[in-house]
Amino acid sequence: MRAPSLGLSPRGRGCYPGLVRHVRTFLSHGARSVEIVEGQSLLVGRGTSCDIVLDDELASREHLRLTLSDGALVAEDLGSRNGVLVNGLPVRGSQELHHGDHVTAGRTPLTVVQQVHEPRARSQLAGTPDRQTSWDDVTATGSLPALLGGSARTALGVGDLTSAETSARNLLVALRGMLARGGVVEPAVLDDAVDLAIELAAASQEPVWIERLLDLCVTAARPIDARRAARVAELGARLAPSASGLAAYLAMARADARDRSAPLLAPLAATAR
């Protein structure tokens, strides 16, 4: 099923006079993300001359082309041997892509991520930058956690829960993967991911988001603070997360002398599934 659109107008312009909506489009591929700018095409395949080179024996040398024109991102199958899938369905020739779409070339997954800068009056654009809306500061590095976290919150802001959950799930998987490989994830990034999972648990009323945030914390060996734990406890009392995930978290947290979350979350064991 196609993820609902973010409601973006052509060329990223807002529908109200005097306002500008800036949209940036990225393609996430493993731990990398590549920005696609207006009027640009990216060639994807096994060939070394491709813009995105796939280490995938099922991919063709020139598998597909992605083009961003007039605000629309289009995927074109270049006659690849094994075809191109969008959200699990084969592309016949070319197909327009949207935020949250999953593109598969060979066996390699790629995800479309669109970032939206909130509209500002044109008069603001010539003056001192508004530090509260400096979206480019967040995505200047194109880092995958920043892209996926921002994408999830953008989707939540327009009521697109499906796309928000897709981006957040990819974010948590990426962070767990980094940690499992021995990588370092900044505490602020972990806290932001936990906050996002809490927001999604509240919005979706699904216990899986509590389970995912607890699992992330166990992988990072880092308990959440008392404020976040109180919110998780409140949601968990209604949503009843899994007993195994809660037990793993409590064991990790109790081993940390600085932890203040275990006493708040321990009562959840009575209602856990």
Side-chain angles (χ1 to χ4, degrees):
M1 181 181 296
R2 178 177 301 284
S5 168
L6 287 179
L8 307 178
S9 56
R11 296 188 186 276
R13 289 192 297 269
C15 56
Y16 299 103
L19 296 179
V20 173
R21 169 168 277 180
H22 176 55
V23 180
R24 297 175 70 183
T25 300
F26 298 83
L27 192 73
S28 71
H29 166 220
R32 297 181 55 226
S33 60
V34 178
E35 183 171 8
I36 309 174
V37 300
E38 178 67 29
Q40 182 185 24
S41 290
L42 294 180
L43 188 60
V44 181
R46 283 191 301 108
T48 56
S49 62
C50 292
D51 300 292
I52 298 177
V53 179
L54 305 180
D55 182 15
D56 183 345
E57 68 275 12
L58 296 184
S60 299
R61 292 185 62 81
E62 294 187 353
H63 202 100
L64 74 148
R65 179 181 290 111
L66 295 157
T67 303
L68 183 63
S69 178
D70 198 28
L73 179 63
V74 175
E76 178 188 0
D77 186 348
L78 299 177
S80 62
R81 182 179 56 200
N82 292 305
V84 176
L85 302 179
V86 174
N87 300 324
L89 299 176
V91 170
R92 306 299 181 190
S94 62
Q95 181 173 321
E96 184 173 350
L97 303 176
H98 301 84
H99 167 76
D101 277 346
H102 296 283
V103 181
T104 305
R107 61 162 61 96
T108 304
L110 308 104
T111 303
V112 177
V113 178
Q114 287 183 310
Q115 296 285 4
V116 181
H117 190 302
E118 290 301 319
R120 289 188 289 167
R122 293 185 186 277
S123 60
Q124 287 182 289
L125 299 179
T128 302
D130 181 351
R131 298 308 299 171
Q132 292 183 326
T133 56
S134 55
W135 190 265
D136 289 344
D137 289 349
V138 179
T139 59
T141 63
S143 69
L144 189 59
L147 292 175
L148 292 174
S151 173
R153 285 197 168 86
T154 296
L156 269 179
V158 296
D160 183 355
L161 184 59
T162 299
S163 293
E165 290 187 309
T166 297
S167 293
R169 184 169 57 250
N170 289 338
L171 168 63
L172 296 181
V173 168
L175 291 178
R176 286 190 64 224
M178 291 178 192
L179 292 165
R181 292 191 298 271
V184 176
V185 178
E186 293 295 325
V189 174
L190 288 171
D191 287 343
D192 192 61
V194 167
D195 287 339
L196 179 58
I198 290 172
E199 291 175 44
L200 282 167
S204 68
Q205 291 296 293
E206 292 290 344
V208 68
W209 290 107
I210 294 177
E211 294 161 5
R212 285 170 175 159
L213 78 84
L214 294 177
D215 185 53
L216 176 63
C217 291
V218 169
T219 304
R222 182 173 183 269
I224 55 179
D225 61 26
R227 178 181 63 82
R228 292 180 173 89
R231 182 63 175 137
V232 171
E234 176 189 351
L235 289 166
R238 297 199 307 269
L239 303 181
S242 73
S244 59
L246 179 62
Y249 176 85
L250 290 174
M252 179 275 297
R254 285 166 174 157
D256 188 324
R258 298 166 299 177
D259 175 62
R260 298 294 180 270
S261 67
L264 295 168
L265 297 180
L268 294 180
T271 57
R273 295 177 288 108

